[in-house]
Structure formats: C-alpha cells, structure tokens
Amino acid sequence: MSSLRLIEAPSRDHYDEVVATLPYTSPLQAWGFGEARKTLGQEAHRFLIQKQGKTVGAVQILRKPLVAGFSLLYVPRGPVFENPDDLLDLPKAIRSFARATDLSVKIEPPNPIPSTDPQEQEIPEQLGIWKRAKTEQPEHTIAVDLRLGEDELLKNLHQMARRNVKTAQKLGTVAGRDENFEDFWHIFESTNERAKLGQYPKSYYTTMLNAMQGRHSEAYIVLARHEGKALAGGFFVAVGKGTYYLYGGSIRDDRLTPEGEPYKDVKAPTAFYWNAMLDAKRRGYEFFDFWGIPARLSEDKHSFGVFKMKENFGGFKLWYPAYEIDLNPLAPVVRKMLQARKRRINIKMRGTAEDVL
C-alpha cells in the first residue's frame, strides 16, 4: 500500500475544487465551513491528500481545544477521497500532523452506507485501525435523488405530503430562496426553544452563510411565507452535486383574520421542503440531504415528528458512521469525562440523558 501525504492546500479555490469534484464529498469539508468553526474557537487546517504525487483526496481537520492545553482532532463528514479504501492508509499521515497534546482524531467518511433492517449489522465496527465512534454530525439521514423528473418526485411523496403541497399552493403559501436572515433566525430560535435544543452563537451561522459563498460551494436560506409572514425555513450548505439541510424549523401561526379567526393551516413546512427540493433540482444539484433522523425511533421524542415529516418526501435512508483513533493514552479518560458532561447537559436541557437523534 502506497503511503499518503498531507500537503497544505495552496489556496481556497484549489482546495474547494478538489472537494467539489471528488465522488465522495461533503460541504462540511469545504473551506467556508472551517471558517465558521473558527468562531467557536477551533482551528481549521486544510490539506490535499496525495499518493505517489497524485492528489487523491482532501481533508479539513479541526482542532478543538480542551482544558489544560489538550485538544481533539475532528474531520467533519470527511475526509473526501477518490477511493474510500485509502482511509486505511490515512492514520500515519495524520499522526505526522498531530501534536503531542492532540488526544484523538475522529473522522466521518462521507461515503454513505444504505440503511437496511436491522441496520446495525451492516456497519463495520472497524476500518483497519479506525474504531467506530459516536458521530458529531447526524449518523442517520434521509436523502432524495434529484435526478428524477419533477412529476416523479411528486409521485414519490407520501399521499398526505402531496395533498399538503396542493393545499399550500391553493392557500397562497410560497417558498424559495430568501435573503432575510433575521426571519430565518426567529424560526430557528423558536424551534430550538420549543424542542429544548441547543444552538451555537448567531455569529457562527452568519459567518457560515458568508464564508461558504465561493466558486465551488454555497450556503443559502429557503423560507416559506404566507402573506409575507415567514412560517418555516431552513439553512442549506452545498458543494459539488449535493445540497444539505443543516438547520431550520417552523413556528406556530398565531395570526388572526380580519374577522378575528385563526388562519387555516397553510402547510408551510411542506411548502418549504418541497420548494427547497425543486430549487436545488433547478440549480443542477442531484442529491438532497435532509440531514438527520433518529437511528432508533421513539414516539415521545421531538425527533420522531421531524423524522415522519422528512420521510414523507420519498427519500432513502443512509448511515454515516464515525471512526476514531486514540493518539494519547489519556484519550479514553477524557472521552468518558466528555460523555458524562454531555449527559448532564442533556438532562438539564431536556430532562433525559439521551441525545436528540
């Protein structure tokens, strides 16, 4: 097996072009995503991966600081490779980059595993010396093939979703790309408060929205409005042939008609999803990722309703497992401490130690 080398990316355009054109890729490996992570105090390091003098991949490594000068290395939904088998040869190259204070490195390869039942049996517990780990990004998702015709996409919707698409159109609900970040932010904050979900500082999202704009990547907002009022929407990042719905939600329509009656349900969430898919298709994207559904369903969790909504749009389920390697003997101890802290935060926010997805 030929060894891999990490070569510091010479420029944003060169790096992003590699990320955008490789067959197994993700916008979380785009340059702009790393710029957003800097607002959280993380370092972003971008490299081309070379083998025998040829570029065969790219990797954006985030260094996440911990107390006492230690840190974790994290590759969000990456690295991106021409051949995923090259992952097996990556540890040596990463060790050459790592510092003595880096405790471990976690990767989330962007080549998905189709979901089966039971799913767990189909996911490798190891890839060479990489051992399966908890993901930071959603491990389980639903995606739609946008290469289908618009009529076929509509046909693949659950009949309730098709009916809601038509109802939304009849009632005058419109949805599309929108430059009003504040309307998105109100929806996003309200959704997180209602569902007891955490979020990053506002600057993280505004930085990502701006920093992802480039020749090979973009970030954008889609909102569903009725009579001008934004009722549902989401934040998307895109690279190569795919677009990914990272953040969003909906708000309750508390408006009253001139007669003092509540408005009819104008099906804003359905209009949002459907028109976001159509927008992506018309712009040439072939892959629409709904970004996150629960791996194990529980009807009493907020994520169950989100899953049922996304499932109505006729996609296919995928797994994106994570893997890690310890670089320091202290890694297992620190990992247990971080897991315990996460459980405490979950209990404080939602009254349960379980994660959202």
Side-chain angles (χ1 to χ4, degrees):
M1 183 180 291
S2 300
S3 61
L4 301 178
R5 296 178 61 218
L6 300 185
I7 307 298
E8 189 169 352
S11 68
R12 170 181 177 150
D13 273 355
H14 187 102
Y15 173 81
D16 276 350
E17 183 177 12
V18 173
V19 171
T21 53
L22 286 169
Y24 300 99
T25 192
S26 163
L28 274 58
Q29 283 292 289
W31 191 283
F33 186 80
E35 294 301 294
R37 283 292 174 129
K38 290 180 182 179
T39 68
L40 306 180
Q42 301 174 11
E43 299 176 12
H45 302 269
R46 296 92 170 188
F47 300 96
L48 304 180
I49 303 173
Q50 293 192 344
K51 180 164 63 173
Q52 297 178 329
K54 177 188 176 185
T55 297
V56 297
V59 60
Q60 176 163 244
I61 304 174
L62 303 178
R63 179 172 277 121
K64 303 169 64 175
L66 301 174
V67 295
F70 289 106
S71 52
L72 301 174
L73 299 182
Y74 170 51
V75 182
R77 199 55 77 80
V80 297
F81 271 117
E82 184 177 356
N83 181 357
D85 290 342
D86 283 332
L87 274 174
L88 304 181
D89 197 29
L90 187 63
K92 183 178 178 181
I94 289 185
R95 287 181 188 276
S96 69
F97 159 77
R99 300 171 183 163
T101 49
D102 292 329
L103 298 177
S104 64
V105 56
K106 179 180 291 186
I107 61 173
E108 295 170 336
N111 46 312
I113 299 173
S115 179
T116 59
D117 190 16
Q119 300 100 328
E120 289 285 350
Q121 297 178 6
E122 304 297 325
I123 301 176
E125 289 300 314
Q126 287 193 222
L127 297 175
I129 66 172
W130 295 100
K131 295 183 179 180
R132 193 170 173 201
K134 288 185 176 293
T135 59
E136 180 167 323
Q137 306 306 322
E139 186 177 43
H140 207 199
T141 188
I142 292 180
V144 171
D145 184 353
L146 296 179
R147 293 172 298 181
L148 302 176
E150 185 173 326
D151 290 343
E152 193 168 359
L153 288 173
L154 184 62
K155 182 181 177 182
N156 287 344
L157 267 57
H158 185 280
Q159 62 179 8
M160 181 185 296
R162 286 200 303 273
R163 185 164 61 245
N164 287 346
V165 166
K166 295 176 181 177
T167 299
Q169 293 171 342
K170 181 179 179 181
L171 294 177
T173 308
V174 295
R177 294 203 180 194
D178 202 299
E179 296 184 357
N180 193 320
F181 179 85
E182 293 303 322
D183 281 354
F184 158 75
W185 186 250
H186 172 64
I187 290 170
F188 184 50
E189 272 199 313
S190 300
T191 300
N192 291 339
E193 183 177 353
R194 185 174 70 246
K196 300 179 181 179
L197 302 175
Q199 65 190 43
Y200 293 122
K202 190 176 184 179
S203 60
Y204 173 72
Y205 305 94
T206 55
T207 299
M208 191 185 307
L209 186 61
N210 293 321
M212 285 292 291
Q213 311 304 337
R215 291 176 57 197
H216 307 287
S217 66
E218 68 168 335
Y220 60 94
I221 290 168
V222 174
L223 296 179
R225 296 179 179 273
H226 183 262
E227 296 181 358
K229 183 175 179 63
L231 297 170
F235 185 114
F236 293 79
V237 290
V239 72
K241 297 179 180 179
T243 188
Y244 301 70
Y245 165 49
L246 295 194
Y247 315 107
S250 61
I251 57 174
R252 295 186 176 92
D253 190 352
D254 56 4
R255 297 173 300 164
L256 298 177
T257 67
E259 295 73 30
E261 297 294 327
Y263 269 74
K264 291 182 178 179
D265 182 357
V266 297
K267 309 301 180 184
T270 300
F272 156 66
Y273 281 124
W274 174 243
N275 285 283
M277 287 169 54
L278 294 185
D279 170 83
K281 177 177 175 59
R282 290 164 186 160
R283 293 171 190 266
Y285 292 114
E286 298 179 1
F287 183 84
F288 186 100
D289 192 328
F290 280 92
W291 202 256
I293 58 172
R296 296 175 182 82
L297 296 178
S298 176
E299 293 190 18
D300 60 347
K301 295 175 71 173
H302 164 78
S303 57
F304 182 80
V306 175
F307 160 72
K308 296 303 292 184
M309 183 67 169
K310 294 177 179 180
E311 188 183 44
N312 284 341
F313 285 83
F316 44 92
K317 298 169 189 169
L318 300 169
W319 284 82
Y320 287 94
Y323 297 89
E324 67 185 353
I325 294 173
D326 289 344
L327 304 173
N328 185 300
L330 290 175
V333 176
V334 174
R335 187 178 300 116
K336 288 182 180 179
M337 293 172 61
L338 293 175
Q339 290 171 352
R341 184 181 72 174
K342 189 174 184 180
R343 285 194 295 270
R344 290 195 300 270
I345 292 173
N346 284 344
I347 290 172
K348 182 178 180 180
M349 289 187 64
R350 297 187 300 279
T352 175
E354 294 184 16
D355 292 333
V356 175
L357 294 178

